[in-house]
Structure formats: structure tokens, C-alpha cells
Amino acid sequence: MRVLGIDCGSERTGYGVIESDGVAHRIVAAGAILTNRKSAFEQRLAVIAAGLRALIQQHSPETAAVEEVFYSANVKTALKLAHVRGIALLAVAEAGMSLAEYSPLEVKTSVVGYGRAEKCQVQQMVRSLLFLPEAISSEDACDALAVAICHATHQATNERFARVGALR
Amino acid sequence: MRVLGIDCGSERTGYGVIESDGVAHRIVAAGAILTNRKSAFEQRLAVIAAGLRALIQQHSPETAAVEEVFYSANVKTALKLAHVRGIALLAVAEAGMSLAEYSPLEVKTSVVGYGRAEKCQVQQMVRSLLFLPEAISSEDACDALAVAICHATHQATNERFARVGALR
């Protein structure tokens, strides 16, 4: 399956597209959509929307995954992020793709095997799981790849369970 | 000028289009975009986006206004609202319209003359300012018309100030 992971942010929205059978993953594309700090917020949202649409059209992922919004840190930041997240969910829905949401804990548990893993551990595991010669330099792209890997793994596990259930 | 006011909500997004010279206002359209509670959130966002785009295309407003997001009540609700607000801002930006944001206090002060006015007072004043035979039954449409009236009034005042400044 081809999975798009999105790491929402008003300044940088990370993305990662992987091809996966749920066990072995291969990177297709990764990067970040950058917006101009000086632009009006709604113009930045338009840049993110256009970027995501182009990405979906180019790589045709079947399913997408985003992190759940968490608001422990700063409500103002979380609200800004939620605007961007709205744009991401819209792009996914309008492309007719399925969507999954995972908590940061679920992503880290899935990728590193430990829910309280450090950023660098996630980076290291993303690199290792995708057989990359070096770590992904963009933190946003790396987070997006991590949520994509998490989704691919969950999806494959669910499908296996469904098959086992059907055999009974 | 033709102004679109939007009152964001994941269940009902109110809209109001008015034609105004900043003093006299005329209603063009008002209502609410409804979404299905049972649908996935991203599908509801897609319904709101499609509704707003159709509305903008039909009525060609030049400028739009929304209320600032406020989060005193419930962070979870505010975050949901912010997703919808992201969609509204995107629709406005993609249509090339200008956007203004007002606090609930500014809207009430502009429409009723008192920042802590009750809902029913806002409804009454919206009805009166638009010369409507009866009050708008949809609270969401009424709130959207209120923010549109607020924006039209502010915009006209700013333009008058700019003209006076230019004459000096």
C-alpha cells in the first residue's frame, strides 16, 4: 500500500510517502511544504493546501495518516495547528483517500517500540526502517514518515486480524 | 461592497451575504451549511468547503469576515472549530477575497453598541439593520450576518478615515 504521512505545521508541513506491505517499507518521497512567515495566515493555508493537493496527485497514495492534535503545551499554538490540520484533512477527503489518526505515543511505540522515545531515536529508527544511507535532515519530514510507517504497520496488522477472523 | 460573514461550526456553519455602503445594509443571502453528525470529520470538512465555494461563486462577495476563535469554554470544542475555521479561511484565500477577523466583543459592539449584548439583542439588531420583516430563525446565519455587518461598518469607517487623511 502507498501511505502519505502528514506532520502539520503553519510554518512547515512535513510529508512522507512510503510504499509498504506492513513489514518492509520503502520511501517514495519526503519533504516539507514551507510557508512565508510574512504572509497572511489564510495565504499560508492556501500554500499548504496547494502543496498537499499536488503531492497527492503526483504520488497517488491510497491512505493518509496524521497525528492527533495535542494541546498540552500552548493553546494558541494548538489552535493554529488545528487550522492547518483542517486543511490537511480536507485535502485527504477531497482526494477520496482513507484517513487514520494516531497519538504521538502510538507513533513512537510503533516506530521505536517505546512511547516516550526521543526525537533522535525516532529519526534513527525511521532511517533504519527505510534503509536510508543517512538520517532525514528535516524533522518535519521525519515525523511525517514516522506516522506513515505507524499507519502502514497498523493497517497490515488489522488486515491480518481480519483474515484470521474470516478463516474461523 | 458585498460582504460574506461566516460563523464556523462543525455541525452548522452559518453564512450571511450583505450588500452595504457601510451605513445601509441589504441582505443578499443567509443560511447555514449543515453536516451529518454521523459522517467522518474530514467528510464534514469537505461538505463545508464545497458549500462555501459554491456560495462564493454564486454571490461573488469581495470581502469576508469571521469571528476570532475563542477558547475560554472548552479546548476540545475550540480545536474542532479551528479545523473548520481553517477551511473557511482557505475558501476565502482561494477565491482571492480579502479577510477580516473580529472578536465577539467587536461584533456585538458594532451591531448592538454594547460588547456584552445577549444573543437575542444581536438577533433583534440584525433584523432591524437589515429591515427584515422578522428575525432570522437560524442563530448561525444571524451570527454570520452580524459579523458581516460589523465588517462593512469597520471597512467604511476605515475608508472614510483614509479619505480624510488624504485630504490633509
Side-chain angles (χ1 to χ4, degrees), chain A residues 24-36:
Chain A
H25 319 286
R26 182 175 65 80
I27 191 168
V28 174
I33 301 163
L34 306 179
T35 65
N36 189 339

Side-chain angles (χ1 to χ4, degrees), chain A residues 129-145:
Chain A
L129 287 166
L130 294 172
F131 302 101
L132 301 175
E134 51 191 60
I136 299 272
S137 60
S138 155
E139 221 174 69
D140 312 284
C142 186
D143 287 346
L145 285 168

Side-chain angles (χ1 to χ4, degrees), chain A residues 41-43 45-46 49-50 53 69 71 75-76 78-79 82-87 89-90 93-94 97-99 101, chain B residues 41-43 45-46 49-50 53 69 71 75-76 78-79 82-87 89-90 93-94 97-99 101:
Chain A
F41 186 50
E42 66 273 18
Q43 298 302 336
L45 293 178
R53 282 184 204 132
V69 65
Y71 45 88
V75 180
K76 241 184 177 169
L79 284 173
H83 283 71
V84 179
R85 216 168 161 277
I87 302 302
L89 300 196
L90 178 70
E94 290 190 334
M97 296 158 62
S98 64
L99 175 82
E101 303 177 55
Chain B
F41 186 50
E42 65 273 20
Q43 298 301 337
L45 294 178
R53 283 184 203 133
V69 65
Y71 44 88
V75 180
K76 240 183 177 169
L79 284 173
H83 283 71
V84 179
R85 213 167 163 277
I87 303 301
L89 300 197
L90 179 70
E94 290 190 333
M97 297 158 62
S98 64
L99 174 83
E101 303 177 56

